[in-house]
Amino acid sequence: MTTALVWTGVALLGGAGAVCRFLIDRAVSTRLKRGFPFGTLVVNISGALLLGFLAGLALSPHTALLVGTGFVGSYTTFSTWMLETQRLTEERQVWPAAANIVVSVALGLTAAWLGMWLGGRL
């Protein structure tokens, strides 16, 4: 696979991942109109599951780069997670901020493990 093709694939899949993130975050946030960032939580947990699944499949390096970095890398959002946690803290919502960290890490690790387990079974 040529370098230009890999770059093009990462760009296209990255765009698709960003659009999926936007749509899922918006859908979840619209349904759960609360001060907690449930949309980002759903996106990051599902992204951890997907990336774990892809890792369990033991894909070729080019395919892993295209799908893992291109799609999942732009789908998940560490920076938004941190910013939303910071905003909760600024609003003196310390328990929701702490819950966002603990729940995200615990569920993220569990989802990644589950994804790897499922991918390894195929």
Side-chain angles (χ1 to χ4, degrees):
M1 191 174 292
T2 68
T3 302
L5 188 58
V6 171
W7 277 87
T8 302
V10 168
L12 292 173
L13 288 170
V19 169
C20 287
R21 177 180 74 209
F22 174 77
L23 294 173
I24 291 172
D25 184 16
R26 172 86 63 189
V28 171
S29 297
T30 300
R31 286 190 176 93
L32 301 173
K33 295 182 182 188
R34 296 185 177 107
F36 192 83
F38 286 106
T40 302
L41 179 65
V42 168
V43 164
N44 285 341
I45 301 311
S46 61
L49 179 71
L50 179 57
L51 193 57
F53 180 76
L54 295 171
L57 292 177
L59 302 171
S60 72
H62 286 297
T63 305
L65 174 70
L66 287 170
V67 180
T69 302
F71 182 82
V72 180
S74 67
Y75 173 68
T76 58
T77 175
F78 181 82
S79 56
T80 301
W81 173 52
M82 290 292 97
L83 180 63
E84 290 170 344
T85 303
Q86 173 60 26
R87 285 185 183 157
L88 288 170
T89 304
E90 286 176 355
E91 295 169 356
R92 300 184 192 272
Q93 296 184 40
V94 177
W95 287 111
N100 194 29
I101 294 169
V102 171
V103 169
S104 292
V105 170
L107 290 180
L109 289 171
T110 302
W113 173 84
L114 179 61
M116 287 183 71
W117 182 79
L118 290 170
R121 298 286 178 255
L122 296 180

